Amino acid sequence: MGGWRAADIPDLSGRRAIVTGANSGIGYHTALELARHGAEVILACRSAERGARALDRIRTEVPGADLLVGSLDLADLRSVRAFAAEHVQGGLDILVNNAGVMALPRQATADGFEMQFGTDHLGHFALTGVLLPALLNRPGARVVTVTSLMAWAGRLRFDDLQGERRYQRWTAYCQAKLANLVFTKELDRRVDTVTSVAAHPGYASTNLQQRAARMEGSRTREVFYGAANIVLGQSAAAGALPTLYAATMPDVAGGDCYGPDGLGQRNGAPKRVRVVTRAGDPEAGRRLWEASEQLTGVTYEVPAH
């Protein structure tokens, strides 16, 4: 697998894909390469204007690309349901749960969830559930959930998932990204006709690192993160490679996680990586799943065999 690049993606003609957060960063480069290799790609974006700009950029690189922009705010379950209602018809081969927020001051989603847990995990849990009929309609369909190296430091605090008693932005982020891994494993256990895998980008230079600093008006932190991106980060295009491998390659198995092969998984070509043992704990998976169903009101309708 060493040296794998986007040029190695197989032909995706006839495949239909949805990428959340496709207007920038890793999501943009994921959508770009899926489209370049023949897939029909729906750019699921919170801002229709930014989504339209991303579509134009992709069309500049891939003339004739089969693209559509869909309005999706993962921090609002009404938006999640509306998006799914518009795009659930027919089949879906690839769902990339990419969009996310990082290390924000405590704030709430439209449904009252803590923003990081609500967007990074609950929004994607709900989206995957309401799109499940489309995924079940395509043999070999895949769900790729994008996590982070910070997941390795995460703990699921079942007595305070929303950070209502105690909130620390990085603790909440680590928990949300661990939840991505736990969800990936549990989805693989529950829906055996859909391949559920995870990916992480290593340290990629995107706008994610600086967004919280901008929200707080901290120019110092914004400059610091910008400098760290330049010194430590690989490009967003390189950071998208583990996601693209997980979404397209034939040797990918359910429950796997893909990340960069460099030192500390910070950068490099994609490879299958080991995840923390607690990510695969079936009891944690069950508890998170049941809590997610209760909070979102979304249940997965899986046909009996």
Side-chain angles (χ1 to χ4, degrees):
M1 197 190 304
W4 190 90
R5 291 293 178 260
D8 300 317
I9 294 171
D11 178 40
L12 301 176
S13 298
R15 304 284 184 90
R16 185 168 178 251
I18 291 174
V19 181
T20 69
N23 56 280
S24 66
I26 290 160
Y28 170 80
H29 287 281
T30 299
L32 169 66
E33 295 302 337
L34 293 176
R36 193 193 305 277
H37 289 83
E40 173 194 350
V41 183
I42 298 165
L43 314 179
C45 305
R46 186 167 56 89
S47 164
E49 181 181 350
R50 289 194 294 269
R53 287 201 297 266
L55 183 148
D56 289 343
R57 287 173 60 201
I58 293 174
R59 284 241 170 92
T60 298
E61 290 206 42
V62 188
D66 192 351
L67 302 169
L68 183 68
V69 175
S71 178
L72 173 66
D73 183 353
L74 289 161
D76 185 341
L77 291 178
R78 287 178 301 177
S79 174
V80 171
R81 291 184 181 277
F83 174 87
E86 187 173 351
H87 299 289
V88 74
Q89 300 304 318
L92 179 62
D93 299 279
I94 302 168
L95 171 61
V96 180
N97 291 326
N98 164 80
V101 294
M102 183 176 79
L104 300 180
R106 196 186 193 288
Q107 53 188 285
T109 69
D111 304 282
F113 307 138
E114 185 276 311
M115 184 65 74
Q116 298 190 80
F117 188 73
T119 301
D120 294 16
H121 169 62
L122 291 175
H124 281 127
F125 175 90
L127 179 67
T128 305
V130 292
L131 287 175
L132 188 61
L135 291 160
L136 293 172
N137 198 30
R138 292 288 177 93
R142 293 189 192 182
V143 175
V144 182
T145 300
V146 180
T147 183
S148 162
L149 274 173
M150 299 299 288
W152 274 246
R155 296 289 189 279
L156 291 176
R157 298 167 294 165
F158 286 107
D159 61 342
D160 192 24
L161 284 172
Q162 306 289 332
E164 294 167 308
R165 293 205 295 269
R166 182 180 180 184
Y167 182 80
Q168 200 284 326
R169 69 183 68 193
W170 283 107
T171 300
Y173 180 67
C174 292
Q175 174 184 252
K177 302 320 284 184
L178 175 61
N180 292 152
L181 285 176
V182 175
F183 166 69
T184 294
K185 296 280 192 179
E186 188 67 10
L187 178 61
D188 184 61
R189 282 190 283 265
R190 290 176 182 252
V191 187
D192 57 12
T193 55
V194 172
T195 301
S196 172
V197 295
H200 79 80
Y203 193 133
S205 298
T206 70
N207 61 11
L208 193 63
Q209 290 91 344
Q210 294 168 285
R211 181 179 174 189
R214 289 195 195 102
M215 288 179 63
E216 293 182 293
S218 175
R219 179 63 179 162
T220 301
R221 286 177 54 223
E222 184 179 349
V223 170
F224 170 79
Y225 285 126
N229 281 352
I230 294 170
V231 175
L232 300 175
Q234 61 178 345
S235 68
L241 292 177
T243 298
L244 288 163
Y245 194 103
T248 65
M249 293 303 286
D251 62 338
V252 170
D256 281 353
C257 181
Y258 291 83
D261 64 1
L263 182 65
Q265 298 179 36
R266 185 174 62 82
N267 54 28
K271 70 169 183 177
R272 187 167 64 87
V273 298
R274 294 182 64 183
V275 299
V276 289
T277 302
R278 59 186 172 277
D281 176 14
E283 177 63 13
R286 180 192 65 78
R287 293 182 70 185
L288 179 65
W289 194 276
E290 291 177 358
S292 302
E293 285 184 330
Q294 183 177 10
L295 289 166
T296 65
V298 173
T299 57
Y300 283 50
E301 301 296 332
V302 183
H305 292 292

